[in-house]
Amino acid sequence: MSETILVLGATGKTGRRVTARLREAGRDVRPASRSGGTRFDWGDESTWAAALTGAQAVYLVPPTLPSQAQQVVPSFVKRAVSAGVRRLVLLSARGIDAAGDEKLLTSERTVRESGAQWTIVRPAWFAQNFSEAFFLPQILGGVLAVPAGEGREPFVDVDDIADVAVAALTGDGHHGKIYELSGPEALSFAEAAARIGAATGREIRFVDLDSDSFLKGSADAGVPDEHAAILLGLFQAIRNGWDAHLSTGVRDALGRDPRDFDAYVRAAAESGAWAGTSD
């Protein structure tokens, strides 16, 4: 009998792709989210049991806020292992170990000490942030404004993240591995905007925000202070050149090179992701 694989965050960028790939492979997949058929809410522990019942593997997407993850991920992992989960694949983030914040490391430490087989996936910034929420409104408005300066980031295609996660959920040889994922080229945000602009035939201007302007804009947009502070720290790491290095995780896990940014841009443009771009 095929094992049941629980996918948390199944409506998110990585979760819906992981779900689709598992289904295509004929796997018994249980997509779970706050609005899905299997309801799962990190803030409501009463939803956990039904999601976990009969599951042998979990794609674990922790809460966005580290303070919440620190509170709930250890309890969830303990309950998952007690319920019979034998394999955990955690979506984490590249550079998290260098941040020096224990709250950020709670989820990783928890899965490593769980007693289950585990794999940690640490991606760089998602390329799809430009076409699926996050930066999309700015791209559509023709102005990309972030506090990253001329710093470079090797944006990773979310399809590569999903491929690595599925390999770890379904295959052998991934236990105890930490895969740091990046694209094959580091770009500045100005360069990324220019490439998207060239593909859409429209001008997309980059504006380098200062920290105060970014925090004020985030507050005005209703972004929680903790989340805004984390984002600012990530942008500062890019600005300072700390995140420009390339990682080998895609090749290590899959035996192939990662997709490049231009391939992502072409696919997103062909799909109509930026069809509403206006001057």
Side-chain angles (χ1 to χ4, degrees):
M1 183 172 64
S2 176
E3 68 175 11
T4 298
I5 302 174
L6 172 64
V7 176
L8 302 185
T11 59
K13 292 184 185 71
T14 66
R16 68 175 182 269
R17 288 173 167 86
V18 169
T19 297
R21 282 161 171 73
L22 290 171
R23 283 178 171 158
E24 289 168 2
R27 299 285 181 160
D28 180 9
V29 57
R30 180 181 298 155
S33 65
R34 284 181 294 181
S35 59
T38 297
R39 185 169 176 269
F40 182 89
D41 188 339
W42 281 112
D44 182 359
E45 293 191 21
S46 69
T47 65
W48 297 4
L52 284 168
T53 299
Q56 290 83 44
V58 178
Y59 178 58
L60 200 166
V61 180
T64 301
L65 297 180
S67 59
Q68 185 184 12
Q70 187 178 42
Q71 294 172 359
V72 297
V73 170
S75 297
F76 173 80
V77 169
K78 182 178 180 180
R79 189 176 300 186
V81 173
S82 296
V85 169
R86 301 191 301 269
R87 183 174 296 193
L88 296 166
V89 176
L90 172 71
L91 180 67
S92 186
R94 205 174 70 141
I96 200 169
D97 53 335
D101 188 332
E102 280 301 305
K103 293 193 296 294
L104 295 174
L105 290 169
T106 295
S107 297
E108 289 199 2
R109 185 171 56 250
T110 297
V111 300
R112 293 176 70 171
E113 296 174 355
S114 66
Q117 295 184 26
W118 60 267
T119 306
I120 295 171
V121 181
R122 292 178 176 170
W125 282 66
F126 298 176
Q128 277 77 1
N129 283 339
F130 293 104
S131 54
E132 300 175 19
F134 207 9
F135 300 130
L136 178 58
Q138 295 190 43
I139 296 296
L140 294 178
V143 178
L144 177 62
V146 294
E150 298 179 0
R152 293 174 176 269
E153 173 69 21
F155 302 103
V156 63
D157 194 308
V158 176
D159 286 324
D160 284 337
I161 302 171
D163 286 346
V164 171
V166 169
L169 286 165
T170 62
D172 297 325
H174 303 286
H175 170 52
K177 299 290 182 65
I178 298 176
Y179 292 122
E180 296 206 342
L181 312 182
S182 80
E185 178 185 15
L187 302 172
S188 69
F189 277 83
E191 290 169 331
R195 294 192 185 186
I196 296 169
T200 59
R202 313 298 287 270
E203 180 182 0
I204 302 171
R205 189 164 52 88
F206 170 71
V207 174
D208 180 25
L209 290 181
D210 59 62
S211 297
D212 289 342
S213 296
F214 173 76
L215 292 175
K216 182 180 185 305
S218 297
D220 291 344
V223 178
D225 290 346
E226 181 184 3
H227 193 189
I230 292 168
L231 287 172
L232 179 59
L234 294 173
F235 281 124
Q236 288 174 335
I238 295 172
R239 178 188 291 276
N240 293 331
W242 300 337
D243 211 32
H245 62 284
L246 306 183
S247 296
T248 62
V250 173
R251 172 158 288 282
D252 295 340
L254 304 176
R256 64 163 175 81
D257 292 331
R259 298 174 178 91
D260 63 33
F261 191 79
D262 289 336
Y264 150 71
V265 169
R266 286 193 300 272
E270 290 171 2
S271 73
W274 300 302
T277 304
S278 60
D279 292 330

